[in-house]
């Protein structure tokens, strides 16, 4: 039996991949300001900071399943079901679609690298695709209408689409590949998590004495300025997505986050008032945080 005194003197080891993934979700939403997204200072009309905290904690069981070697689809569905156990609805669906295979990779391989993550996602199966589709039964996720030929595989059908998946032999990697270029989460799957790893490098390059949440917000702004957000493009059109990206690039280029925080706050408030949410960029930011935590390049 371990006494309380012994517990206090027992050396604490590093966080597990699942723990780092949960921490990544918490750090992502705590990063402030993240223009257009929920952060410590901004709630959206029906989606609040507390919902994201609850979603991160709720996803733990699915992340633990991924760490233990469960199939990607099953672990993802479990994570989404737990995430959805709060009143706000969809908080971190896209984050989890990136984090679950990264956690599985880190746990299985002892490290997380682009080639290893690619091996994980390319090995997904039809049953993994079925788990992904079942996840849509747990929470409402914004998805554009598919082409008529793909209507039987519309993810919004949830489990009802699984017979069509099985008949066609569609794997989860196939689903992601077919979703490019309109979905940048899917793009991460087929490009070796390119932007996620780049976000990790940026996080690791920023001054360690600054709060991690400041660094997270700055990297989010840089990612948004690098490439228009596909969620914005889907909801508001490509012109608005480009406008937002151009503004973020200007602010990131002069490092306004540090030199003129008021400009970034004004940009953040404007996007929130207009209902423009760069959610895909936030998802990729979370994946970058996880990678940096796993590599020891981001200490908290």
């Amino acid at each position: 039996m371990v006494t309380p005194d012994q517990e206090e003197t027992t050396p604490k080891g590093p966080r597990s991949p699942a723990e780092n993934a949960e921490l990544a979700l918490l750090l992502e939403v705590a990063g402030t300001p993240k223009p257009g997204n929920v952060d410590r200072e901004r709630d959206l009309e029906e989606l609040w900071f507390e919902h994201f905290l609850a979603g991160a904690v709720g996803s733990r069981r699915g992340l633990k399943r991924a760490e233990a070697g469960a199939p990607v689809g099953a672990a993802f569905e479990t994570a989404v079901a737990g995430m959805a156990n709060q009143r706000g609805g969809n908080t971190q669906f896209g984050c989890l679609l990136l984090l679950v295979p990264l956690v599985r990779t880190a746990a299985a391989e002892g490290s997380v690298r682009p080639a290893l993550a690619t091996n994980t996602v390319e090995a997904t199966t039809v049953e993994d695709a079925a788990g992904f589709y079942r996840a849509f039964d747990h929470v409402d996720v914004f998805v554009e209408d598919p082409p008529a030929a793909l209507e039987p595989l519309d993810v919004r059908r949830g489990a009802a689409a699984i017979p069509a998946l099985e008949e066609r032999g569609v794997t989860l990697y196939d689903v992601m590949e077919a979703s490019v270029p309109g979905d940048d989460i899917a793009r991460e799957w087929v490009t070796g998590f390119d932007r996620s790893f780049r976000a990790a490098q940026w996080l690791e390059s920023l001054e360690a004495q600054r709060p991690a949440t400041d660094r997270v917000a700055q990297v989010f702004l840089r990612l948004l300025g690098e490439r228009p957000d596909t969620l914005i493009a889907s909801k508001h059109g490509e012109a608005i997505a480009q406008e937002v990206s151009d503004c973020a690039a200007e602010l990131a280029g002069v490092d306004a986050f540090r030199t003129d925080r008021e400009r970034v706050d004004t940009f953040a408030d404007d996007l929130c008032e207009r209902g423009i949410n760069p959610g895909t960029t936030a998802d990729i930011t979370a994946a970058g945080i996880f990678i940096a935590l796993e590599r020891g390049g981001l200490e908290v």
Side-chain angles (χ1 to χ4, degrees):
M1 179 177 177
V2 179
T3 68
D5 287 341
Q6 288 174 319
E7 285 184 339
E8 289 178 5
T9 58
T10 299
K12 290 179 169 59
R15 285 181 297 269
S16 72
E19 290 169 338
N20 273 334
E22 184 179 350
L23 178 57
L25 292 172
L26 294 169
L27 288 173
E28 187 285 315
V29 72
T32 305
K34 294 196 315 299
N37 287 337
V38 171
D39 59 30
R40 294 195 312 276
E41 298 174 359
R42 294 167 185 83
D43 292 326
L44 301 182
E45 185 175 353
E46 296 182 351
L47 196 57
W48 307 338
F49 182 68
E50 66 193 54
H51 298 147
F52 280 81
L53 300 181
V57 173
S59 70
R60 180 185 302 155
R61 183 164 171 258
L63 295 169
K64 285 289 189 183
R65 290 195 69 187
E67 182 180 86
V72 169
F76 176 72
E77 184 194 355
T78 301
V80 169
M83 174 211 76
N85 190 26
Q86 35 75 27
R87 296 183 298 166
N90 176 24
T91 50
Q92 292 127 328
F93 190 97
C95 295
L96 294 170
L97 190 52
L98 296 174
L99 288 173
V100 165
L102 289 172
V103 167
R104 196 176 192 281
T105 299
E109 304 295 341
S111 67
V112 57
R113 300 196 301 275
L116 297 176
T118 295
N119 291 340
T120 297
V121 295
E122 288 184 345
T124 55
T125 64
V126 175
E127 183 52 37
D128 288 316
F132 172 69
Y133 273 67
R134 282 192 293 267
F136 283 84
D137 291 337
H138 297 292
V139 68
D140 184 27
V141 180
F142 176 82
V143 179
E144 289 189 289
D145 294 334
L150 294 179
E151 193 282 328
L153 299 179
D154 186 346
V155 292
R156 293 170 299 186
R157 297 184 62 212
I162 292 176
L165 287 174
E166 295 173 338
E167 180 182 349
R168 301 189 188 193
V170 177
T171 70
L172 183 48
Y173 186 81
D174 293 335
V175 174
M176 295 298 109
E177 196 170 38
S179 301
V180 178
D183 184 341
D184 270 5
I185 301 301
R187 183 177 179 273
E188 287 297 282
W189 270 55
V190 302
T191 61
F193 295 79
D194 175 61
R195 298 183 74 209
S196 300
F197 279 93
R198 191 151 66 252
Q201 291 175 340
W202 292 342
L203 282 165
E204 292 163 350
S205 71
L206 295 173
E207 300 92 328
Q209 66 268 28
R210 293 175 60 195
T213 49
D214 281 3
R215 286 176 276 166
V216 165
Q218 187 172 349
V219 167
F220 167 85
L221 194 65
R222 188 170 176 182
L223 281 170
L224 184 58
E226 174 193 60
R227 182 178 173 87
D229 189 277
T230 50
L231 181 62
I232 295 178
S234 296
K235 287 186 172 183
H236 303 279
E238 293 184 5
I240 296 295
Q242 187 64 59
E243 171 203 324
V244 170
S245 184
D246 289 344
C247 186
E250 179 184 351
L251 293 172
V254 298
D255 196 5
F257 185 83
R258 297 186 68 182
T259 61
D260 190 355
R261 169 69 179 268
E262 186 177 350
R263 290 179 64 196
V264 185
D265 281 321
T266 298
F267 181 42
D269 293 337
D270 175 63
L271 292 190
C272 287
E273 289 170 8
R274 294 164 65 188
I276 297 175
N277 167 222
T280 299
T281 305
D283 297 336
I284 295 171
T285 301
I289 297 168
F290 169 76
I291 293 166
L293 289 169
E294 274 293 302
R295 298 195 304 204
L298 178 65
E299 296 183 355
V300 295

